[in-house]
């Protein structure tokens, strides 16, 4: 089990986290708490999306601001194809993933080939996001316009009856499985030559290219990995909401949130996305009861504060603390015989 | 198509184009000068409208209230510049651009959030320009007001940049920061001034827009999107280009709306930005 991860510390952290996340809901979820069930599923969906943007943005400086659009495209393709062909959406998810991954590859390639800086990529993808939002709302015959349509095709009744879970909660464990897979992917990727290449690219692309790193290729690999995760999670996210409508895939709803989650949790860390997602969901619940309407304003302040003063995020801060402890130990150990 | 419709479309396009030009100029000024992409620009437009309406309760007429509203937005901009941007300016190059983007996204959310909580309605500033009719052509008063005021302000902006000392100082900082500093120009001060000017331009665009259609906090992000797109198509450090782009895109979106439909014409607009970025990415480097 441990050998599939990139390193032992990662493996330990991941296993502990997954175990906690697997057991915890069983205490909280009862027979009639559908709101909380949905919250748990949303939490995992966003955690995985944040992990995707972690790989793409935090590691290779490709500020993709069209995660909402990618999520939507994957969802619509998966659902509509399943409808047309009369099959279960589980079969068409790979098609959605492929479509979105291809789109991300093209964008990544064009951007890298033309030497686009991070801000150009940001504005480019933001334009794509906005265009997609208009398309989702406008193409009423395909998407059902702003109303949308119901969708619950991705249930797993087998798991639910096996574990005695309430209806619809099986998807939580499917998402948890995907999260675990993303931990493995992340750990292996970042503790290998890929991680080193990403670091080099982030520091100085020209220098990286000059030592033989194919910058375009590595950026595309990162974009592909991230987009594959996004494409996979999209339909599950929509399924957990029960309804597919354009407002699920907007910039404000997805991109802004996952960026906040990622920065709060810790850029370039394995557990950062999931910690950030959990923190934001909790804050969301808290704010709803105390501040209600002031939620958006609070998020704005949080983002400003995070980016100005707390860029390493929660996990980053914890790792910093742990490292100073370790160095302290080292000095002691060196001074002894 | 009847000539009268063509003329009405012309006026509509020019009005829209001038509003876009104001918004685009707001982005270009600040980005060209300090490398900060002000994603919160749209929200200043909305705040201006709301502030104006609040002032109208105590001031005699809409025009004076508008000036007061713009002044309020200017002060808000100064406050933002002196607090948030102060920290952003300490970074350099790409770090600053990135930090600027995220901080202004946060600012957008923050102000938008306050508006959502306290000022949820849609707002319109009243104007008293009458609708003009000659023959079969009907030109709405709001259009005339928009065209008139925007043109005057944009000409004023040009005069400022070309003829006044401050304007020339601004252009110098645009071209070469170090050179400007060596000439004794206080760069930080110029940046603050231009930031205030830019938010007031956006505020004016908001007020003018509200003549024809009520403005609410929900519009803020879309206004920002339009502003950025106009700025990109026009050349993100080039004021004249931005204004020309504003007019061009005003035509694109008005004619697109009329002939094709609202959704597609917006998609065309965003598509134009994508095309320009692919063709000229080094612009924003």
């Amino acid at each position: 089990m441990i050998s599939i991860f990139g390193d032992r510390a990662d493996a330990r952290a991941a296993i502990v986290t997954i175990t906690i996340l697997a057991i915890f809901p069983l205490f909280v979820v009862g027979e009639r708490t559908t709101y909380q069930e949905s919250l748990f599923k949303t939490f995992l969906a966003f955690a995985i999306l944040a992990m995707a943007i972690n790989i793409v943005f935090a590691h290779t400086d490709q500020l993709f601001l069209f995660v909402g659009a990618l999520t939507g495209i994957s969802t619509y393709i998966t659902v509509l194809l399943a409808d047309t062909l009369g099959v279960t959406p589980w079969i068409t998810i790979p098609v959605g993933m492929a479509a979105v991954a291809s789109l991300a590859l093209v964008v990544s390639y064009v951007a890298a080939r033309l030497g686009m800086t991070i801000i150009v990529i940001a504005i480019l993808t933001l334009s794509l996001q906005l265009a997609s939002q208009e398309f989702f709302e406008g193409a009423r015959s395909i998407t059902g316009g702003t109303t949308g349509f119901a969708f619950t095709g991705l249930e797993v009744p087998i798991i639910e009856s096996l574990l005695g879970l309430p209806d619809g909660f099986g998807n939580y464990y499917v998402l948890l499985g995907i999260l675990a897979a993303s931990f493995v992917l992340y750990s292996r990727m970042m503790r290998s030559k890929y991680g080193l290449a990403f670091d080099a690219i982030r520091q100085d692309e020209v220098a990286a290219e000059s030592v033989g790193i194919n910058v375009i290729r590595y950026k595309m690999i990162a974009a592909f990995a991230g987009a594959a995760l996004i494409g996979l999670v999209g339909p599950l996210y929509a399924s957990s909401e029960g309804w597919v409508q354009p407002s699920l895939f907007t910039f404000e709803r997805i991109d802004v949130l996952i960026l906040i989650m990622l920065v709060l949790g810790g850029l370039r860390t394995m557990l950062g996305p999931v910690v950030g997602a959990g923190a934001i969901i909790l804050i969301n619940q808290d704010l709803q009861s105390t501040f209600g309407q002031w939620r958006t304003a609070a998020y704005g302040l949080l983002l400003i504060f995070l980016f100005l003063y707390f860029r390493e995020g929660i996990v980053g801060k914890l790792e910093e603390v742990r490292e100073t402890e370790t160095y302290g130990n080292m000095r002691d150990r060196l001074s002894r015989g | 198509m009847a000539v009268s419709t063509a003329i009405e479309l012309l006026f509509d396009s020019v009005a829209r184009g001038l509003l876009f030009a104001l918004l685009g100029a707001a982005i270009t000024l600040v980005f060209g000068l300090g490398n900060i992409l002000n994603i919160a620009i749209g929200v200043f437009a909305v705040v201006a409208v709301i502030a104006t309406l609040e002032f109208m309760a105590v001031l005699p007429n809409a025009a004076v209230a508008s000036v007061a509203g713009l002044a309020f937005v200017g002060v808000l901009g100064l406050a933002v510049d002196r607090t948030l941007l102060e920290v952003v300016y300490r970074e350099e190059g790409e770090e600053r651009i990135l930090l600027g983007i995220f901080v202004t996204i946060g600012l957008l959310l923050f102000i938008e959030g306050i508006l959502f909580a306290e000022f949820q309605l849609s707002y319109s500033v009243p104007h008293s320009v009458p609708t003009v009719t000659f023959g079969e052509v009907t030109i709405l008063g709001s259009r005339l007001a928009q065209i008139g005021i925007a043109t005057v302000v944009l000409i004023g902006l040009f005069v400022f940049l070309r003829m006044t000392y401050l304007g020339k100082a601004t252009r110098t900082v645009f071209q070469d920061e170090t050179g400007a500093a060596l000439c004794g120009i206080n760069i930080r001060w110029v940046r603050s001034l231009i930031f205030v000017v830019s938010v007031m331009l956006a505020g004016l665009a908001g007020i003018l827009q509200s003549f024809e259609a009520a403005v609410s906090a929900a519009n803020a992000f879309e206004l920002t999107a339009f502003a950025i797109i106009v700025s990109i198509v026009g050349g993100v450090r080039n004021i004249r280009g931005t204004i020309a782009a504003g007019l061009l895109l005003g035509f694109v979106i008005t004619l697109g709306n009329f002939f094709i439909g609202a959704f597609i014409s917006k998609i065309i607009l965003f598509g134009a930005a994508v095309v320009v970025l692919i063709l000229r990415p080094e612009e924003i480097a």
Side-chain angles (χ1 to χ4, degrees):
Chain A
M1 173 74 88
I2 296 192
S3 60
I4 58 172
F5 279 91
D7 95 8
R8 312 206 72 178
D10 280 353
R12 273 196 298 260
I15 293 176
V16 170
T17 311
I18 298 289
T19 317
I20 296 179
L21 290 177
I23 302 184
F24 178 65
L26 297 175
F27 291 107
V28 182
V29 167
E31 271 134 39
R32 282 181 301 145
T33 47
T34 39
Y35 174 67
Q36 272 178 318
E37 290 170 26
S38 166
L39 206 60
F40 275 115
K41 287 189 273 184
T42 309
F43 154 60
L44 282 187
F46 273 91
I48 301 172
L49 289 177
M51 176 62 95
I53 205 77
N54 191 12
I55 298 177
V56 174
F57 166 50
H59 280 279
T60 55
D61 270 355
Q62 301 181 89
L63 184 49
F64 278 6
L65 291 178
F66 67 153
V67 179
L70 292 177
T71 315
I73 292 174
S74 168
T75 307
Y76 281 119
I77 290 184
T78 303
V79 175
L80 295 170
L81 200 55
D83 259 353
T84 328
L85 296 181
V87 297
T88 160
W90 289 108
I91 301 186
T92 50
I93 281 190
V95 181
M97 281 173 74
V100 157
S102 318
L103 181 56
L105 276 179
V106 169
V107 172
S108 174
Y109 177 71
V110 170
R113 201 71 215 281
L114 295 177
M116 288 189 180
T117 56
I118 188 172
I119 187 180
V120 180
I121 298 178
I123 302 179
L124 177 70
T125 51
L126 179 62
S127 307
L128 291 173
Q129 166 75 31
L130 293 172
S132 302
Q133 281 177 219
E134 289 300 318
F135 180 73
F136 292 155
E137 273 186 34
R140 236 168 274 132
S141 48
I142 307 179
T143 63
T146 45
T147 328
F149 49 86
F151 172 57
T152 47
L154 288 171
E155 310 280 291
V156 276
I158 313 172
I159 300 187
E160 282 158 24
S161 48
L162 269 181
L163 296 175
L165 297 167
D167 272 344
F169 201 61
N171 272 337
Y172 176 81
Y173 287 96
V174 174
L175 283 168
L176 193 59
I178 299 177
L179 182 68
S182 75
F183 281 159
V184 173
L185 171 73
Y186 185 83
S187 171
R188 290 190 77 132
M189 216 180 197
M190 300 312 166
R191 305 282 179 200
S192 69
K193 64 173 183 180
Y194 289 97
L196 285 176
F198 292 158
D199 281 348
I201 292 174
R202 235 182 21 259
Q203 284 178 18
D204 189 334
E205 272 184 38
V206 177
E209 191 80 51
S210 71
V211 295
I213 295 177
N214 186 337
V215 174
I216 300 184
R217 182 166 162 262
Y218 280 104
K219 281 182 145 180
M220 283 172 74
I221 291 175
F224 181 80
L229 281 173
I230 297 173
L232 181 56
V233 169
L236 289 166
Y237 161 61
S239 178
S240 74
E241 299 283 323
W243 196 268
V244 181
Q245 53 184 154
S247 64
L248 282 184
F249 311 116
T250 59
F251 179 73
E252 294 92 332
R253 180 133 175 185
I254 296 200
D255 291 85
V256 171
L257 270 185
I258 60 177
L259 282 171
I260 297 181
M261 286 172 182
L262 179 62
V263 180
L264 178 59
L267 290 159
R268 292 185 285 280
T269 62
M270 185 180 71
L271 294 181
V274 80
V275 168
I280 292 294
I281 299 266
L282 281 176
I283 294 178
N284 210 0
Q285 294 310 100
D286 224 29
L287 286 179
Q288 209 143 19
S289 43
T290 42
F291 289 112
Q293 309 157 300
W294 296 87
R295 238 181 332 156
T296 317
Y299 278 141
L301 274 184
L302 181 65
L303 187 62
I304 295 178
F305 172 74
L306 280 180
F307 247 90
L308 288 180
Y309 300 113
F310 193 55
R311 233 172 294 178
E312 65 276 11
I314 297 177
V315 178
K317 199 80 189 154
L318 289 177
E319 276 179 8
E320 248 179 58
V321 170
R322 195 173 42 142
E323 260 167 31
T324 40
E325 296 293 298
T326 320
Y327 287 144
N329 271 336
M330 267 178 94
R331 251 183 284 128
D332 284 337
R333 285 153 68 190
L334 279 171
S335 62
R336 280 190 225 123
Chain B
M1 175 174 50
V3 175
S4 57
T5 324
I7 297 184
E8 282 166 17
L9 273 181
L10 179 68
F11 272 87
D12 278 354
S13 302
V14 172
R16 207 81 219 275
L18 288 173
L19 290 187
F20 276 173
L22 284 172
L23 286 170
I27 290 277
T28 303
L29 281 173
V30 176
F31 191 74
L33 212 54
N35 265 342
I36 294 188
L37 190 66
N38 184 3
I39 304 217
I41 196 75
V43 89
F44 286 101
V46 179
V47 169
V49 176
I50 298 177
T52 303
L53 286 172
E54 294 286 311
F55 277 118
M56 273 182 70
V58 291
L59 291 175
N61 64 24
V64 179
S66 297
V67 174
L70 286 177
F72 176 76
V73 167
V75 169
L76 182 64
L78 188 62
V80 166
D81 177 84
R82 288 282 138 188
T83 52
L84 284 181
L85 299 188
E86 191 67 50
V87 187
V88 177
Y89 280 129
R90 277 188 222 143
E91 308 282 340
E92 288 296 326
E94 233 176 59
E95 272 299 313
R96 184 195 292 178
I97 299 183
L98 207 55
L99 189 59
I101 292 181
F102 282 104
V103 165
T104 50
I105 291 182
L107 182 65
L108 171 72
L109 288 178
F110 177 57
I111 302 184
E112 219 183 28
I114 296 181
L115 294 180
F116 278 145
E118 295 291 302
F119 295 99
Q120 300 103 341
L121 307 171
S122 302
Y123 303 89
S124 246
V125 175
H127 65 93
S128 42
V129 180
T131 302
V132 168
T133 322
F134 36 91
E136 298 200 342
V137 180
T138 314
I139 311 286
L140 294 171
S142 58
R143 295 276 178 267
L144 292 172
Q146 286 168 344
I147 296 180
I149 299 178
T151 311
V152 167
V153 169
L154 284 171
I155 292 182
L157 180 67
F158 264 107
V159 166
F160 168 72
L161 287 175
R162 298 251 147 213
M163 313 261 181
T164 65
Y165 175 75
L166 268 176
K168 289 185 204 170
T170 306
R171 278 164 50 219
T172 318
V173 178
F174 245 92
Q175 287 167 9
D176 184 341
E177 241 177 70
T178 323
L182 287 171
C183 289
I185 297 175
N186 184 335
I187 307 221
R188 187 67 187 90
W189 211 92
V190 168
R191 285 197 181 130
S192 294
L193 171 71
I194 289 302
F195 189 75
V196 170
V197 167
S198 86
V199 300
M200 283 168 67
L201 284 174
L204 181 65
I207 294 178
L208 293 179
Q209 162 109 339
S210 76
F211 283 171
E212 76 173 282
V215 165
S216 76
N219 296 119
F221 186 60
E222 192 179 62
L223 287 172
T224 298
F226 286 151
I228 296 181
I229 297 205
V230 168
S231 181
I232 300 259
V233 171
V236 90
R237 292 171 210 277
N238 177 349
I239 304 261
R240 266 187 296 189
T242 304
I243 299 190
L247 285 166
L248 173 68
L249 292 175
F251 271 87
V252 167
I253 205 175
T254 309
L255 297 177
N257 272 343
F258 184 77
F259 289 112
I260 317 179
F263 291 116
I264 309 255
S265 57
K266 275 197 215 166
I267 294 184
I268 295 179
L269 211 62
F270 300 132
V274 171
V275 169
V276 170
L277 280 175
I278 293 183
L279 292 176
R280 289 190 324 212
E282 62 292 342
E283 273 266 325
I284 317 189

